[in-house]
Amino acid sequence: MAADDGRTAAHDMFDAGRTAAHDMFDADVASKGLGIELVSAGGGAAVARMRVTPAMLNGHAIGHGGYVFLLADTAFALACNSHGPVTVAAGGEISFLRPVREGDVLEAYATERVRHGRSGIYDVTVRRGDEVVAEFRGRSRVVKEGAPLNASGRGGAPA
């Protein structure tokens, strides 16, 4: 059996249809403002895409790591929200493996590793074509089963 390269689960659910993650992404002003695209989301997996723009370069003329983190975090959010309950990040860390440059098209492949109770762990591989540029691990927490976020940003009904 071949090893999972971080893309298999995400590509296997292209026909998953519309999920709660799609609804969340529709309201995600930050990700959309950076040109991030939702490629697919469902069944605890997701793919997001972003082109590195001149505004994303740091003082070394390479892509700022914060933007790579944001892309990975967006894919993570899409994967953990694909199940339906409102889920937020409890934490995340990233390892930058290769620099990215202006014009690079990056794809972040998020896969669920485990969910137990209200907590989950997700891995995200960020690629430029076939080349891995970063690895991200996110920890999720369901805010409250069945409760959408309200205007205050808290789960459940307004106080």
Side-chain angles (χ1 to χ4, degrees):
M1 181 173 185
D4 182 0
D5 67 359
R7 293 184 279 189
T8 306
H11 279 299
D12 285 348
M13 52 76 203
F14 273 113
D15 295 326
R18 189 162 178 89
T19 67
H22 291 83
D23 295 334
M24 180 200 71
F25 189 76
D26 286 348
D28 187 341
V29 177
S31 295
K32 287 183 171 186
L34 292 172
I36 295 176
E37 305 167 52
L38 187 168
V39 176
S40 61
V47 180
R49 180 184 302 130
M50 176 184 80
R51 179 179 300 278
V52 178
T53 68
M56 296 175 182
L57 302 181
N58 65 20
H60 299 293
I62 59 176
H64 191 290
Y67 291 104
V68 177
F69 186 100
L70 195 145
L71 173 64
D73 185 56
T74 297
F76 160 55
L78 291 166
C80 64
N81 279 280
S82 68
H83 295 294
V86 173
T87 305
V88 297
E93 62 182 58
I94 194 164
S95 295
F96 301 108
L97 305 173
R98 291 180 175 81
V100 300
R101 308 214 183 276
E102 180 181 344
D104 287 352
V105 175
L106 307 178
E107 288 191 324
Y109 298 84
T111 55
E112 179 179 283
R113 293 300 176 211
V114 65
R115 271 191 313 154
H116 181 73
R118 293 174 46 208
S119 299
I121 297 175
Y122 293 76
D123 287 336
V124 182
T125 299
V126 181
R127 295 177 172 272
R128 173 183 46 224
D130 288 333
E131 185 178 34
V132 175
V133 299
E135 290 286 348
F136 172 99
R137 173 156 279 189
R139 297 177 312 280
S140 68
R141 187 79 171 160
V142 173
V143 175
K144 186 174 181 183
E145 291 284 339
L149 290 179
N150 61 31
S152 70
R154 296 187 183 120

